[in-house]
Amino acid sequence: MTRLSWPQLLLLGASFLITLGSFAVLPFMSVLLHQRWGLGLGVVGAVLAVASLVQFSGGVVGAAVARRIGLRATMLVALAIRTAGFCCFVPGLQRPWLAVVALFLVSAGAALYLPANKAYLVAGCAPEQRPRLLAASGSAFNAGMALGPPAAAPFVLTSPALLFTVVAAVFAVVGLAHAVLPHAEDKPAEPVPSAAPEPPRPTAGVRLPPFAYTLLSVYVFMFFQHYIALFAVPRTSAAYYGALLMAYSLLLVTAQPLLADRIAGLGYGRTLWLGFGAMAAGMTAVATGGPLGIAVGALTLGLAETVLFLRNDLEALARSRAPAATVFGRQRLAAGLGAFAAALLGGPLYGAAEGGGGAGGFWLVVAAQSAVLPLLLWGAVVWRARRCGRRRGAGAGRPRAPAPGG
């Protein structure tokens, strides 16, 4: 891999610290909102759902801001907003409404920051460097996500004011570090052909939409993200689940950089078959309910996440003529819509499965969605492409009207 520049190293280090600070707080928000601030579970669910939608789908706004004021300025504004949000949590310990405001500030800051961060990371680099840079960025984020909760667990209920103050200080320092970054222009991404073109077939000209498959990838995956703890802990133990989470996080941190070039070289259609097939297999393994099945299923889903999420971003970049921040903003929007749909449907679906005699059926339903929904989307894309092709053919064969006076 080409040696990283110091701005790229700074951004990768910042990605780790930002996620470490965020995940020292955000995974515990449901507990804090309910137990510390006394909000009802229905209110807690609504607040978290809206905050998640803002954090993901607001990436489109973040991309628009980056086009307007530049990548570095957007990251500085975003970090200032997030710092203010974590600062607001301290007086918010006595005022629940202020805690909710703080949560939305933190979510809005994330929406602004992430598209600009990824766009700055790949700005000016050759297309063949993108997979490893984006994989390294994903590893930095996943490492922070893995270490944040255990680092904060001893303090989140006993000394929350101290925790919020430390996290706010971390964001303030990271923001000051961003101020020394040089200007980087967010030019439209240079397209790059696939290193492994897919074999010709009758539908070879059909262009599968990365936005739609990103939405679908996140939709299916978030069922696992939201409900694996509820399913796994009673059937194993909290210690077993904690060890599984650490193994899962280690897999994400190491696998994506190691596999980045291979993932980039796969044809997009082949990647989708592999990724969604792995998701279906992983959900089916989890449905067995035993410790081994849960572990095999979780690690299989980790590989699916590694393959699908990176490849969707690379495909979106390769096809678009828009600036990179705009591409990443659209991808965040797709992820937000998928996560919101999973959150909306997951609770009733899990409850129905559990009430019907066993939550294992929940995972089988999700596995079926993993297998069927990508095929339905593929069929819809092929049907539309053929219909448009017939219309163009009919238009080309239609005789033209004679010119006036002809």
Side-chain angles (χ1 to χ4, degrees):
M1 180 176 179
T2 305
R3 178 179 293 181
L4 297 175
S5 65
W6 72 263
Q8 290 171 330
L9 288 171
L10 189 152
L11 282 183
L12 292 175
S15 296
F16 169 74
L17 290 175
I18 286 170
T19 316
L20 178 71
S22 298
F23 276 76
V25 174
L26 297 181
F28 302 102
M29 284 310 302
S30 59
V31 177
L32 290 169
L33 289 169
H34 182 55
Q35 294 185 6
R36 175 83 193 195
W37 290 298
L39 300 182
L41 288 175
V43 176
V44 170
V47 168
L48 293 178
V50 174
S52 297
L53 190 63
V54 168
Q55 179 171 338
F56 281 97
S57 303
V60 174
V61 177
V65 172
R67 288 198 305 271
R68 183 78 174 178
I69 66 175
L71 298 175
R72 183 182 63 179
T74 301
M75 289 190 287
L76 288 172
V77 170
L79 290 169
I81 292 173
R82 298 197 85 184
T83 303
F86 284 111
C87 287
C88 283
F89 273 122
V90 179
L93 290 171
Q94 308 303 324
R95 301 172 182 85
W97 66 269
L98 190 54
V100 174
V101 170
L103 177 60
F104 285 125
L105 284 174
V106 169
S107 300
L112 289 176
Y113 182 81
L114 287 168
N117 171 282
K118 286 189 173 183
Y120 194 108
L121 191 65
V122 301
C125 75
E128 59 270 15
Q129 293 178 295
R130 292 179 202 154
R132 295 184 184 181
L133 283 171
L134 292 177
S137 176
S139 290
F141 276 106
N142 285 318
M145 290 169 62
L147 296 177
F155 309 102
V156 68
L157 294 178
T158 58
S159 306
L162 175 62
L163 176 63
F164 294 142
T165 302
V166 170
V167 172
V170 168
F171 272 86
V173 170
V174 171
L176 290 174
H178 278 63
V180 305
L181 288 171
H183 172 74
E185 189 174 355
D186 187 20
K187 296 180 180 179
E190 180 185 346
V192 54
S194 173
E198 298 176 42
R201 21 178 233 281
T203 57
V206 175
R207 294 174 66 83
L208 301 174
F211 181 93
Y213 278 103
T214 296
L215 190 158
L216 192 55
S217 302
V218 176
Y219 166 75
V220 172
F221 177 76
M222 291 306 288
F223 286 109
F224 169 75
Q225 185 81 6
H226 287 319
Y227 295 101
I228 185 60
L230 192 61
F231 181 79
V233 172
R235 291 164 176 81
T236 56
S237 67
Y240 182 91
Y241 180 66
L244 180 60
L245 279 186
M246 291 300 294
Y248 184 89
S249 299
L250 183 63
L251 173 67
L252 294 182
V253 170
T254 57
Q256 208 167 67
L258 291 175
L259 299 175
D261 288 337
R262 290 180 179 271
I263 294 170
L266 285 173
Y268 188 46
R270 193 175 302 155
T271 304
L272 295 174
W273 283 106
L274 178 64
F276 282 106
M279 280 196 178
M283 299 291 183
T284 303
V286 170
T288 64
L292 179 60
I294 291 172
V296 170
L299 296 179
T300 303
L301 284 157
L303 289 173
E305 178 187 356
T306 295
V307 171
L308 275 178
F309 289 13
L310 175 61
R311 192 65 178 86
N312 282 329
D313 279 353
L314 290 172
E315 190 70 15
L317 269 179
R319 291 190 187 181
S320 179
R321 300 295 186 272
T326 300
V327 175
F328 290 124
R330 292 170 183 163
Q331 290 295 96
R332 291 285 294 177
L333 172 61
L337 294 174
F340 187 76
L344 204 61
L345 297 176
L349 184 60
Y350 193 91
E354 202 168 44
F362 170 82
W363 302 106
L364 294 177
V365 171
V366 178
Q369 291 186 80
S370 305
V372 173
L373 292 180
L375 288 173
L376 292 177
L377 178 56
W378 175 80
V381 171
V382 171
W383 174 81
R384 184 180 179 188
R386 288 177 173 171
R387 186 179 181 188
C388 291
R390 285 196 297 267
R391 285 180 176 176
R392 284 194 297 267
R398 189 180 300 124
R400 296 183 180 180

